[in-house]
């Protein structure tokens, strides 16, 4: 499958947040036997989504210090349409189909910000040539 | 108690992240009877911490769409010392002592970033005069 970014691809210009934006924590429990295989695929889909999708405003995956099989991804999509476009993308489909058998549980925890004056954003640290 | 910031206080200059930084999700379940009282106190402590503490690199509270008593705060402290300074601050102590009886459960979920090339940050949208 063709991928559309590598570590030299700069971060794309991002969309403005619409009223139907999605602020979500995805909490994933990975089957321990598949953890080593799963992690690079999760890293890749986050990396490509941030670099190439204007509507992916944040996508920040972390691994629990207490349980390395528990992954939390902080995700912000600019709109419902941005989310639809994300899940239809070749990189998300590669991740989803490639990891389906590795995932023991998945929770999608949608959120509202408590403080409307605050924002959060994620990005990629530029690499020198 | 004197508070050290208001909505006109600009965001302070932030510290660099040290190797002993803390990346954490605090997940708080609030007693339903106290929710209306709890939320402004949680908003206030996040707001003051972001505006005034150089070592508080992110503090982003959200409310679950499914259960309005479930609050998640994305927190990043630049170092262990920055965290110690935060919990010793008058605004954190006001929050902690003022909300102790309102909190049904508290989980501190420490994380490692999956992708070392990514960052996440939160901030406050500046207000016009």
């Amino acid at each position: 499958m063709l991928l559309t970014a590598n570590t030299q691809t700069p971060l794309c210009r991002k969309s403005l947040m619409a009223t139907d934006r999605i602020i979500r924590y995805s909490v994933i429990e990975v089957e321990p036997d598949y953890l080593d295989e799963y992690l690079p695929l999760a890293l890749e889909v986050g990396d490509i989504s941030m670099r190439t999708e204007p509507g992916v405003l944040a996508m920040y995956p972390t691994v629990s210090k207490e349980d390395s099989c528990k992954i939390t991804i902080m995700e912000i999509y600019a709109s419902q349409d941005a989310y639809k476009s994300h899940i239809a993308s070749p990189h998300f489909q590669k991740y989803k189909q490639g990891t389906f058998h590795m995932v023991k549980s998945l929770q999608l925890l949608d959120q509202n910000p408590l403080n409307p004056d605050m924002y959060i954003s994620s990005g990629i640290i530029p690499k020198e040539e």
Side-chain angles (χ1 to χ4, degrees), chain A:
Chain A
M1 178 177 298
L2 273 177
L3 294 177
T4 53
N6 61 43
T7 56
Q8 299 304 315
T9 307
L11 204 65
C12 65
R13 193 189 168 96
K14 296 294 178 185
S15 310
L16 290 178
M17 198 180 264
T19 49
D20 64 348
R21 87 283 180 273
I22 298 171
I23 299 173
R24 173 177 291 169
Y25 291 113
S26 293
V27 180
I28 299 141
E29 208 184 344
V30 182
E31 291 285 359
D33 288 351
Y34 287 112
L35 187 61
D36 291 347
E37 230 177 305
Y38 174 83
L39 293 178
L41 292 166
L43 188 150
E44 182 186 68
V45 69
D47 191 78
I48 297 175
S49 303
M50 276 304 297
R51 287 182 199 276
T52 66
E53 292 190 60
V56 175
L57 303 187
M59 186 163 284
Y60 188 71
T62 59
V63 181
S64 163
K65 276 195 169 182
E66 209 170 78
D67 175 356
S68 58
C69 290
K70 200 166 169 189
I71 312 299
T72 302
I73 309 175
M74 206 287 161
E75 300 168 26
I76 302 182
Y77 304 96
S79 63
Q80 296 288 334
D81 281 347
Y83 179 60
K84 282 182 200 155
S85 159
H86 170 67
I87 57 177
S89 70
H91 47 275
F92 180 78
Q93 284 301 319
K94 176 189 173 193
Y95 162 79
K96 191 70 186 175
Q97 291 165 26
T99 61
F100 193 77
H101 60 293
M102 304 176 185
V103 171
K104 197 192 278 187
S105 70
L106 166 65
Q107 292 173 280
L108 305 179
L109 307 174
D110 283 359
Q111 309 287 317
N112 284 315
L114 174 58
N115 186 341
D117 292 340
M118 281 198 177
Y119 67 86
I120 194 162
S121 62
S122 77
I124 294 172
I125 301 161
K127 283 203 173 158
E128 291 184 48
E129 292 286 314

